[in-house]
């Protein structure tokens, strides 16, 4: 990825996965502090007004509250990064980083395998072309690069496809790139969208993802 695209991806990860991670830690600490479990289950951290979030943080033990405030500041910092956030979690005091150990090879391999199977199951049944495209590209990243991406904005799908050049055979790469263009046209609401070609591209890319990039035809 270019430096600009990598920065965009990192910011998306901060706003997506890292923010969800922070919310999960806040919920856990609130439960430890005696917060009603039923209320915690129904609580959407991202939707909480700043004043409510502040009160919730103030209800926690001082060490955990301070650690979570520091982590929260990293989520909105212009110089923040997903890597810096993760490192801060593991270095934090107050026990907020408990239960989220660093990935080691065995656990990383298991995570990739479970994520891959979940994506394969989803793409088999997916009917929305934009979602299928996203799943196909993310699945191929795992299969061909061994990389699992989280919170990838739709505007970066083209850049993600470019990283598969050289890993996919030329016809397969062209099929994936053309389907991306078809999906973009469909989302833009253009009158020139060929529905039959879009459906054919959808099925070809689905097969491509399920065959680890080897085939655009179903062999079921």
């Amino acid at each position: 990825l270019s430096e600009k695209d990598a920065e965009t991806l990192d910011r998306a990860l901060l706003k997506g996965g890292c923010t969800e991670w922070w919310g999960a830690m806040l919920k856990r600490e609130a439960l430890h502090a005696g917060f009603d479990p039923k209320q915690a289950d129904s609580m959407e951290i991202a939707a909480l007004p700043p004043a409510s979030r502040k009160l919730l943080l103030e209800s926690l033990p001082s060490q955990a509250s301070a650690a979570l405030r520091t982590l929260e500041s990293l989520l909105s910092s212009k110089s923040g990064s997903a890597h810096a956030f993760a490192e801060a979690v593991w270095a934090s005091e107050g026990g907020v980083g408990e239960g989220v150990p660093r990935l080691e090879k065995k656990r990383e391999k298991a995570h990739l395998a479970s994520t891959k199977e979940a994506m394969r199951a989803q793409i088999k049944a997916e009917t929305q072309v934009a979602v299928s495209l996203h799943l196909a590209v993310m699945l191929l990243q795992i299969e061909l690069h061994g990389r699992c991406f989280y919170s990838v904005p739709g505007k970066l799908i083209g850049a993600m496809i470019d990283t598969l050049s050289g890993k996919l055979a030329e016809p397969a790469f062209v099929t994936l790139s053309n389907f991306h263009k078809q999906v973009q046209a469909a989302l833009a609401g253009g009158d020139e969208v060929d529905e039959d070609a879009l459906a054919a591209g959808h099925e070809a890319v689905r097969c491509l993802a399920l065959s680890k990039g080897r085939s655009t035809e179903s062999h079921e």
Side-chain angles (χ1 to χ4, degrees), residues 79-107:
S79 59
S81 70
H83 176 74
F85 179 84
E87 290 295 329
V89 169
W90 292 319
S92 63
E93 298 180 349
V96 297
E98 291 179 358
V100 282
R102 296 174 185 268
L103 280 179
E104 40 83 27
K105 289 296 182 181
K106 185 176 181 180
R107 291 180 60 244

Side-chain angles (χ1 to χ4, degrees), residues 18 20 29 36-37 39 41 47 52 54 94 107 127 142 147 149 155 157 162 173 178 187 195 199 207-208 211:
C18 291
E20 291 175 11
E29 293 304 320
D36 186 337
Q39 282 184 285
D41 285 341
S52 298
K54 181 181 178 181
R107 291 180 60 244
T127 59
I142 294 176
R147 301 184 299 207
F149 289 95
K155 64 183 179 181
I157 290 298
D162 288 342
F173 182 76
N178 286 344
L187 292 176
E195 295 295 340
C207 294
L208 188 67
S211 67

